Amino acid sequence: MNRCLATLLLIFTTCALKAQVVDFSKLPLLQGETLKDNKGAAINAHGAGILFHNGVYYLYGEIKKGKTWLVPGQSWEDYRVPAGGISCYSSRDLVSWKYEGIALAPSTGNGSSDIDTGRVIERPKVIYNAVTKQFVMWMHIDTRDYAFARAGVAVSNSPTGPFVYRGSIRPNGQMARDMTVFKDDDGKAYLIYSSENNATMQVCLLSTDYLSPTTRYSRILVNRSREAPAMFKYGKKYFLITSACTGWSPNQATYAVAERPLGPWKEFGNPCRGTDADKTFYAQSTYVLPVDAAKGQYLFLADKWNKLDLERSTYTWLPLQMTADGPVIPAKLRASAPLR
Ligand code: DGJ
């Protein structure tokens, strides 16, 4: 093939991949349901995030496996399962999922390791760095009493891993628990995390290689006690859905809006509509995936926790539609019903 033809083919393929849009009316809609992979096995990916890369969706989540137990001596519902590491699944249509294996494996019997099965490894989110060509995973790392409160980072040359764990940090000395990562159109990436003992969230600009926090950060939703952050962009505005802090028990979501990721952020009401909207349909936010952002169409991902048997926690995936009144997440529609 001559060079000109090869270049044209590359441009065509790139455009086709960018233009790929999954049909919003055909999304898998779940409300507290299990999700199976293409071999019929239950998908084990909680507190999940999705990376869209080269036409493929990669789903990453916490592997929850084993007996749930209550950590003694805590004043809150500190139910735990062994930290099973982070799983990865891939899909081209968000409907059929292929299990890609364990993206980040935990260590066993090494209590001093951040990623030991006796620790907490939660809410993994992966972004791609186009300059370093590395896939970067950020996650919440904690001790079983949640006092460690740090952000862990791992890297891989492949979206499916294996990811190599690099260590954990308190960004600018600040606590970090529930978290997400947001990569903007300009290539800048931000870590968003519940901080200050969960009283206040923070947004921190990541370094250009996405591997460490910079000193540029802001305090947002101050003293609002929010967690489970999920950030997305619509037009020129940034949106952040969060939950209240009630352990594994459901509560009401709110959304906030900003002109820039570092804020200022203004908090608005509940984006959920319909039966059990005041409890986020008994689930808790984890990610918002752009499906057709130009049309304001997103997929809202949440976890319906089963705190007495965490392995049996299920998933709530609902359409999120931008409206003149802000984001709206309706209770489950018939799978074939188009969203108006
Ligand atoms: C709520 C958080 O959102 C979860 O990720 C988990 O950390 C639980 N709290 C623990 O109670």
Side-chain angles (χ1 to χ4, degrees), residues 62 76-77 122-123 140 146 178 227-228 247-248 284 305:
E62 305 155 18
W76 58 288
E77 48 180 40
E122 288 181 340
R123 297 187 174 268
H140 170 200
Y146 284 72
D178 275 16
E227 60 181 7
W248 300 104
Q284 187 184 31
W305 301 117

Side-chain angles (χ1 to χ4, degrees), residues 151-191:
V153 64
V155 281
S156 175
N157 293 323
S158 154
T160 55
F163 281 77
V164 176
Y165 187 70
R166 290 282 196 97
S168 67
I169 191 169
R170 279 193 171 183
N172 298 292
Q174 304 290 309
M175 294 170 104
R177 291 200 182 111
D178 275 16
M179 64 182 56
T180 193
V181 169
F182 176 77
K183 181 177 162 186
D184 208 347
D185 305 328
D186 60 5
K188 288 189 174 137
Y190 301 83
L191 188 66

